[in-house]
Amino acid sequence: MGAGTSPADPASAGREADGPDSAAEGGSTATGNTEAGSGAEAGRPVGGSEAGEPGGGAASAEPGGEAAAPRRSRRFPLFTRDTARPEGGGRAAPGDAPAPARQWPLLTVLCTAGAGLLIVALDPFAEAFRIGTILIGAALIAGAVLRWVVPSVGMLAVRSRFTDLVTYGLMGTLIVLLALVAQPKPWLDVPILEDAVRFTIR
């Protein structure tokens, strides 16, 4: 029927050209054109879609012939492609230096902590447990000092400078204090801790 035909249909264009028999169909075609015009006035093309929708390439073209730039979404991406390097996370030596030299702050902390763990595990002498644990805590404190003094520490930088300082310094200090007050024969006597332990046991 004429009401279902599109204005761009070649068959309907041929019927309009036939003569007076197509007058009734022409009226229905005019009605379709009026509806299409109202849709265009509403700001939405009939044959295509808006610039951001598929199929609207012709409608999104500018009068000068250049296509409009696609709008960038302000939403966060579904998958994180990359992460920003933390402050001071650059290499600690020039790029032409060997890999161990570029990561010497991290290797210093790891080697010191590994030596402490080895002493604790092997127990080669008296008070080896206490000395090895103090060495582990000292390695973390050294990491905090390096994070503060050295501008670029490589992979030793995990988060911001302040967060790394607090994390390394606090953990290292706690480990050293626990090693000093460990029983038996603690190297550091803290009366508050002794009273707390007695109160807890009682």
Side-chain angles (χ1 to χ4, degrees):
M1 298 297 293
T5 58
S6 173
D9 190 3
S12 62
R15 292 193 191 95
E16 290 178 0
D18 286 343
D21 293 340
S22 61
E25 295 180 359
S28 62
T29 306
T31 305
N33 291 335
T34 305
E35 295 175 355
S38 63
E41 291 174 0
R44 191 178 184 88
V46 177
S49 58
E50 294 182 354
E53 297 178 0
S60 63
E62 294 181 355
E66 298 180 358
R71 296 178 60 185
R72 298 183 64 181
S73 175
R74 298 178 63 184
R75 296 180 179 178
F76 290 102
L78 184 59
F79 299 102
T80 303
R81 304 290 183 184
D82 55 357
T83 55
R85 178 181 293 177
E87 178 188 0
R91 61 174 66 98
D96 54 353
R102 294 196 299 265
Q103 299 296 334
W104 69 265
L106 178 65
L107 292 177
T108 301
V109 174
L110 289 179
C111 290
T112 307
L117 289 173
L118 190 62
I119 292 173
V120 172
L122 297 179
D123 196 12
F125 50 85
E127 301 291 342
F129 170 78
R130 196 184 308 274
I131 293 176
T133 308
I134 291 175
L135 199 57
I136 295 172
L140 291 176
I141 295 175
V145 173
L146 290 174
R147 190 71 173 94
W148 174 261
V149 175
V150 182
S152 298
V153 292
M155 295 178 65
L156 188 63
V158 181
R159 293 176 177 85
S160 65
R161 191 183 301 272
F162 175 78
T163 305
D164 289 343
L165 280 172
V166 172
T167 304
Y168 294 150
L170 186 61
M171 292 297 295
T173 304
L174 288 177
I175 292 174
V176 171
L177 288 177
L178 289 175
L180 292 176
V181 300
Q183 298 291 335
K185 298 179 180 180
W187 289 4
L188 179 63
D189 291 330
V190 181
I192 298 176
L193 294 178
E194 294 179 0
D195 295 340
V197 171
R198 292 174 183 175
F199 178 78
T200 305
I201 294 176
R202 290 179 183 178

Short mmCIF file of all heavy atoms in Angstrom, two decimals, residues 33-84:
data_model
loop_
_atom_site.label_atom_id
_atom_site.label_comp_id
_atom_site.label_asym_id
_atom_site.label_seq_id
_atom_site.Cartn_x
_atom_site.Cartn_y
_atom_site.Cartn_z
N ASN A 33 6.07 12.20 3.85
CA ASN A 33 7.09 13.25 3.85
C ASN A 33 6.91 14.19 5.02
O ASN A 33 7.87 14.68 5.59
CB ASN A 33 7.04 14.04 2.54
CG ASN A 33 7.51 13.21 1.35
OD1 ASN A 33 8.27 12.27 1.54
ND2 ASN A 33 7.06 13.55 0.15
N THR A 34 5.62 14.45 5.37
CA THR A 34 5.37 15.32 6.52
C THR A 34 5.88 14.70 7.80
O THR A 34 6.49 15.35 8.64
CB THR A 34 3.85 15.59 6.64
OG1 THR A 34 3.39 16.12 5.41
CG2 THR A 34 3.58 16.59 7.76
N GLU A 35 5.65 13.38 7.97
CA GLU A 35 6.16 12.69 9.15
C GLU A 35 7.68 12.71 9.18
O GLU A 35 8.30 12.90 10.22
CB GLU A 35 5.65 11.24 9.18
CG GLU A 35 4.13 11.15 9.34
CD GLU A 35 3.66 9.71 9.25
OE1 GLU A 35 4.53 8.85 8.98
OE2 GLU A 35 2.47 9.46 9.45
N ALA A 36 8.28 12.50 8.00
CA ALA A 36 9.74 12.52 7.95
C ALA A 36 10.26 13.90 8.29
O ALA A 36 11.29 14.05 8.96
CB ALA A 36 10.23 12.09 6.55
N GLY A 37 9.55 14.96 7.83
CA GLY A 37 9.97 16.31 8.14
C GLY A 37 9.87 16.60 9.62
O GLY A 37 10.72 17.25 10.20
N SER A 38 8.80 16.10 10.26
CA SER A 38 8.69 16.31 11.70
C SER A 38 9.79 15.61 12.45
O SER A 38 10.30 16.10 13.44
CB SER A 38 7.32 15.82 12.20
OG SER A 38 7.22 14.42 11.97
N GLY A 39 10.19 14.44 11.97
CA GLY A 39 11.30 13.74 12.61
C GLY A 39 12.61 14.49 12.44
O GLY A 39 13.43 14.55 13.34
N ALA A 40 12.80 15.11 11.27
CA ALA A 40 14.02 15.88 11.05
C ALA A 40 14.03 17.14 11.89
O ALA A 40 15.06 17.59 12.35
CB ALA A 40 14.16 16.23 9.56
N GLU A 41 12.82 17.75 12.05
CA GLU A 41 12.75 18.95 12.89
C GLU A 41 13.06 18.63 14.35
O GLU A 41 13.52 19.47 15.08
CB GLU A 41 11.36 19.57 12.79
CG GLU A 41 11.08 20.19 11.41
CD GLU A 41 9.65 20.65 11.30
OE1 GLU A 41 8.90 20.50 12.28
OE2 GLU A 41 9.30 21.17 10.24
N ALA A 42 12.74 17.42 14.78
CA ALA A 42 13.04 17.04 16.17
C ALA A 42 14.52 16.87 16.41
O ALA A 42 14.94 16.61 17.51
CB ALA A 42 12.31 15.74 16.53
N GLY A 43 15.36 17.00 15.36
CA GLY A 43 16.81 16.93 15.55
C GLY A 43 17.36 15.55 15.31
O GLY A 43 18.51 15.30 15.58
N ARG A 44 16.56 14.62 14.75
CA ARG A 44 17.02 13.26 14.52
C ARG A 44 16.76 12.90 13.07
O ARG A 44 15.60 12.87 12.65
CB ARG A 44 16.30 12.29 15.45
CG ARG A 44 16.90 10.89 15.45
CD ARG A 44 16.15 10.03 16.44
NE ARG A 44 16.75 8.72 16.55
CZ ARG A 44 17.73 8.43 17.40
NH1 ARG A 44 18.21 9.35 18.19
NH2 ARG A 44 18.25 7.22 17.46
N PRO A 45 17.78 12.64 12.25
CA PRO A 45 17.55 12.29 10.85
C PRO A 45 16.76 11.01 10.72
O PRO A 45 16.84 10.12 11.56
CB PRO A 45 18.98 12.13 10.28
CG PRO A 45 19.87 12.78 11.28
CD PRO A 45 19.18 12.70 12.59
N VAL A 46 15.96 10.94 9.62
CA VAL A 46 15.09 9.77 9.42
C VAL A 46 15.87 8.61 8.85
O VAL A 46 15.79 7.48 9.32
CB VAL A 46 13.92 10.16 8.48
CG1 VAL A 46 13.06 8.94 8.21
CG2 VAL A 46 13.11 11.27 9.11
N GLY A 47 16.65 8.85 7.84
CA GLY A 47 17.33 7.75 7.18
C GLY A 47 18.51 7.23 7.95
O GLY A 47 18.85 6.06 7.85
N GLY A 48 19.15 8.05 8.75
CA GLY A 48 20.34 7.64 9.49
C GLY A 48 20.13 7.83 10.97
O GLY A 48 19.03 7.80 11.47
N SER A 49 21.21 8.04 11.67
CA SER A 49 21.14 8.24 13.11
C SER A 49 22.07 9.38 13.46
O SER A 49 22.65 10.02 12.59
CB SER A 49 21.53 6.96 13.85
OG SER A 49 22.81 6.57 13.46
N GLU A 50 22.21 9.65 14.76
CA GLU A 50 23.05 10.74 15.20
C GLU A 50 24.52 10.42 14.97
O GLU A 50 24.89 9.31 14.59
CB GLU A 50 22.79 11.02 16.67
CG GLU A 50 21.38 11.55 16.89
CD GLU A 50 21.15 11.86 18.36
OE1 GLU A 50 22.05 11.55 19.15
OE2 GLU A 50 20.09 12.41 18.68
N ALA A 51 25.37 11.40 15.31
CA ALA A 51 26.81 11.24 15.01
C ALA A 51 27.43 10.11 15.80
O ALA A 51 28.34 9.45 15.36
CB ALA A 51 27.54 12.55 15.30
N GLY A 52 26.94 9.86 16.98
CA GLY A 52 27.54 8.83 17.81
C GLY A 52 27.02 7.45 17.55
O GLY A 52 27.47 6.49 18.16
N GLU A 53 25.98 7.27 16.67
CA GLU A 53 25.39 5.97 16.42
C GLU A 53 25.87 5.43 15.08
O GLU A 53 26.21 6.19 14.17
CB GLU A 53 23.87 6.08 16.42
CG GLU A 53 23.30 6.52 17.75
CD GLU A 53 21.80 6.67 17.71
OE1 GLU A 53 21.23 6.43 16.64
OE2 GLU A 53 21.23 7.01 18.74
N PRO A 54 25.86 4.09 14.91
CA PRO A 54 26.28 3.51 13.64
C PRO A 54 25.30 3.83 12.53
O PRO A 54 24.09 3.89 12.74
CB PRO A 54 26.34 2.00 13.94
CG PRO A 54 25.47 1.81 15.12
CD PRO A 54 25.55 3.07 15.91
N GLY A 55 25.82 4.04 11.35
CA GLY A 55 24.96 4.34 10.22
C GLY A 55 24.72 5.81 10.05
O GLY A 55 23.98 6.20 9.13
N GLY A 56 25.24 6.65 10.88
CA GLY A 56 25.01 8.07 10.77
C GLY A 56 26.19 8.82 10.22
O GLY A 56 26.39 9.98 10.56
N GLY A 57 27.00 8.18 9.38
CA GLY A 57 28.17 8.82 8.85
C GLY A 57 27.84 9.98 7.94
O GLY A 57 28.49 11.01 7.95
N ALA A 58 26.79 9.81 7.12
CA ALA A 58 26.43 10.87 6.21
C ALA A 58 25.85 12.05 6.96
O ALA A 58 26.06 13.21 6.60
CB ALA A 58 25.42 10.35 5.18
N ALA A 59 25.10 11.79 8.03
CA ALA A 59 24.50 12.88 8.78
C ALA A 59 25.51 13.60 9.63
O ALA A 59 25.31 14.76 9.99
CB ALA A 59 23.38 12.33 9.66
N SER A 60 26.61 12.95 9.99
CA SER A 60 27.59 13.56 10.86
C SER A 60 28.64 14.36 10.11
O SER A 60 29.50 14.96 10.72
CB SER A 60 28.29 12.48 11.70
OG SER A 60 28.99 11.61 10.84
N ALA A 61 28.59 14.33 8.79
CA ALA A 61 29.57 15.05 8.01
C ALA A 61 29.30 16.54 8.10
O ALA A 61 28.16 16.98 8.08
CB ALA A 61 29.55 14.58 6.55
N GLU A 62 30.35 17.33 8.16
CA GLU A 62 30.20 18.77 8.21
C GLU A 62 29.97 19.31 6.82
O GLU A 62 30.25 18.65 5.82
CB GLU A 62 31.48 19.38 8.82
CG GLU A 62 31.67 19.00 10.28
CD GLU A 62 32.91 19.63 10.87
OE1 GLU A 62 33.64 20.28 10.07
OE2 GLU A 62 33.14 19.49 12.08
N PRO A 63 29.44 20.57 6.69
CA PRO A 63 29.19 21.12 5.35
C PRO A 63 30.45 21.21 4.52
O PRO A 63 30.40 21.13 3.30
CB PRO A 63 28.63 22.52 5.67
CG PRO A 63 28.06 22.40 7.04
CD PRO A 63 28.93 21.42 7.76
N GLY A 64 31.59 21.40 5.13
CA GLY A 64 32.83 21.52 4.35
C GLY A 64 33.32 20.20 3.79
O GLY A 64 34.31 20.17 3.09
N GLY A 65 32.68 19.08 4.13
CA GLY A 65 33.10 17.79 3.63
C GLY A 65 33.93 17.00 4.61
O GLY A 65 34.24 15.84 4.38
N GLU A 66 34.36 17.61 5.72
CA GLU A 66 35.17 16.91 6.70
C GLU A 66 34.27 16.27 7.74
O GLU A 66 33.30 16.89 8.20
CB GLU A 66 36.12 17.89 7.39
CG GLU A 66 37.12 18.53 6.43
CD GLU A 66 38.03 19.49 7.16
OE1 GLU A 66 37.82 19.66 8.38
OE2 GLU A 66 38.94 20.05 6.52
N ALA A 67 34.58 15.03 8.10
CA ALA A 67 33.77 14.32 9.08
C ALA A 67 34.02 14.89 10.47
O ALA A 67 35.14 15.27 10.81
CB ALA A 67 34.09 12.82 9.06
N ALA A 68 32.96 14.94 11.28
CA ALA A 68 33.10 15.46 12.64
C ALA A 68 33.89 14.48 13.49
O ALA A 68 33.79 13.26 13.33
CB ALA A 68 31.72 15.68 13.26
N ALA A 69 34.72 15.01 14.41
CA ALA A 69 35.53 14.15 15.26
C ALA A 69 34.63 13.40 16.24
O ALA A 69 33.68 13.98 16.77
CB ALA A 69 36.54 14.99 16.04
N PRO A 70 34.87 12.11 16.48
CA PRO A 70 34.02 11.36 17.42
C PRO A 70 34.18 11.88 18.84
O PRO A 70 35.27 12.28 19.25
CB PRO A 70 34.53 9.92 17.29
CG PRO A 70 35.93 10.06 16.80
CD PRO A 70 35.93 11.28 15.92
N ARG A 71 33.09 11.87 19.57
CA ARG A 71 33.11 12.35 20.95
C ARG A 71 33.77 11.31 21.85
O ARG A 71 33.46 10.12 21.77
CB ARG A 71 31.69 12.63 21.42
CG ARG A 71 31.01 13.75 20.66
CD ARG A 71 29.60 13.96 21.13
NE ARG A 71 29.57 14.30 22.54
CZ ARG A 71 28.46 14.43 23.25
NH1 ARG A 71 27.28 14.25 22.67
NH2 ARG A 71 28.51 14.75 24.53
N ARG A 72 34.67 11.77 22.71
CA ARG A 72 35.36 10.86 23.63
C ARG A 72 34.53 10.70 24.88
O ARG A 72 34.01 11.66 25.44
CB ARG A 72 36.74 11.42 23.98
CG ARG A 72 37.64 11.55 22.77
CD ARG A 72 39.01 12.04 23.18
NE ARG A 72 39.66 11.07 24.04
CZ ARG A 72 40.86 11.24 24.57
NH1 ARG A 72 41.54 12.35 24.31
NH2 ARG A 72 41.40 10.34 25.36
N SER A 73 34.43 9.46 25.33
CA SER A 73 33.64 9.17 26.52
C SER A 73 34.39 9.59 27.77
O SER A 73 35.61 9.48 27.85
CB SER A 73 33.31 7.68 26.59
OG SER A 73 32.64 7.36 27.79
N ARG A 74 33.65 10.09 28.76
CA ARG A 74 34.25 10.49 30.03
C ARG A 74 34.24 9.35 31.05
O ARG A 74 34.68 9.53 32.17
CB ARG A 74 33.50 11.70 30.60
CG ARG A 74 33.58 12.92 29.69
CD ARG A 74 32.78 14.07 30.25
NE ARG A 74 33.32 14.51 31.52
CZ ARG A 74 32.76 15.46 32.27
NH1 ARG A 74 31.65 16.05 31.86
NH2 ARG A 74 33.30 15.81 33.42
N ARG A 75 33.70 8.22 30.68
CA ARG A 75 33.66 7.08 31.60
C ARG A 75 35.03 6.41 31.68
O ARG A 75 35.82 6.45 30.75
CB ARG A 75 32.62 6.06 31.15
CG ARG A 75 31.19 6.59 31.17
CD ARG A 75 30.23 5.52 30.72
NE ARG A 75 28.85 5.98 30.76
CZ ARG A 75 27.81 5.25 30.39
NH1 ARG A 75 28.01 4.02 29.94
NH2 ARG A 75 26.59 5.74 30.45
N PHE A 76 35.29 5.76 32.83
CA PHE A 76 36.53 5.01 32.98
C PHE A 76 36.48 3.76 32.10
O PHE A 76 35.41 3.16 31.92
CB PHE A 76 36.74 4.61 34.44
CG PHE A 76 37.07 5.76 35.33
CD1 PHE A 76 36.11 6.32 36.16
CD2 PHE A 76 38.34 6.30 35.33
CE1 PHE A 76 36.41 7.39 36.98
CE2 PHE A 76 38.66 7.38 36.16
CZ PHE A 76 37.69 7.91 36.97
N PRO A 77 37.61 3.34 31.53
CA PRO A 77 37.60 2.14 30.69
C PRO A 77 37.29 0.89 31.51
O PRO A 77 37.55 0.83 32.71
CB PRO A 77 39.03 2.10 30.12
CG PRO A 77 39.85 2.87 31.10
CD PRO A 77 38.95 3.95 31.64
N LEU A 78 36.72 -0.09 30.81
CA LEU A 78 36.37 -1.33 31.48
C LEU A 78 37.62 -2.09 31.92
O LEU A 78 37.64 -2.69 33.00
CB LEU A 78 35.53 -2.20 30.55
CG LEU A 78 34.98 -3.52 31.12
CD1 LEU A 78 34.11 -3.24 32.33
CD2 LEU A 78 34.21 -4.28 30.07
N PHE A 79 38.67 -2.08 31.11
CA PHE A 79 39.91 -2.77 31.42
C PHE A 79 41.04 -1.73 31.48
O PHE A 79 41.13 -0.87 30.62
CB PHE A 79 40.25 -3.83 30.38
CG PHE A 79 39.20 -4.91 30.28
CD1 PHE A 79 38.28 -4.90 29.24
CD2 PHE A 79 39.12 -5.92 31.22
CE1 PHE A 79 37.32 -5.89 29.15
CE2 PHE A 79 38.16 -6.89 31.13
CZ PHE A 79 37.25 -6.88 30.10
N THR A 80 41.89 -1.83 32.50
CA THR A 80 43.03 -0.93 32.64
C THR A 80 44.16 -1.41 31.75
O THR A 80 44.64 -2.52 31.88
CB THR A 80 43.50 -0.88 34.11
OG1 THR A 80 42.39 -0.48 34.94
CG2 THR A 80 44.65 0.09 34.26
N ARG A 81 44.57 -0.55 30.82
CA ARG A 81 45.62 -0.91 29.87
C ARG A 81 47.02 -0.64 30.42
O ARG A 81 47.96 -1.35 30.12
CB ARG A 81 45.43 -0.14 28.56
CG ARG A 81 44.06 -0.34 27.92
CD ARG A 81 43.90 -1.74 27.39
NE ARG A 81 42.62 -1.91 26.71
CZ ARG A 81 42.19 -3.06 26.22
NH1 ARG A 81 42.95 -4.15 26.33
NH2 ARG A 81 41.01 -3.14 25.63
N ASP A 82 47.18 0.41 31.21
CA ASP A 82 48.49 0.74 31.72
C ASP A 82 48.34 1.44 33.07
O ASP A 82 47.24 1.77 33.48
CB ASP A 82 49.25 1.65 30.73
CG ASP A 82 48.43 2.89 30.40
OD1 ASP A 82 47.28 2.99 30.89
OD2 ASP A 82 48.93 3.75 29.65
N THR A 83 49.45 1.60 33.76
CA THR A 83 49.45 2.28 35.06
C THR A 83 50.54 3.35 35.05
O THR A 83 51.54 3.23 34.34
CB THR A 83 49.73 1.29 36.21
OG1 THR A 83 50.96 0.59 35.95
CG2 THR A 83 48.60 0.29 36.35
N ALA A 84 50.31 4.38 35.82
CA ALA A 84 51.29 5.46 35.91
C ALA A 84 52.46 5.04 36.80
O ALA A 84 52.27 4.37 37.82
CB ALA A 84 50.63 6.73 36.47
#
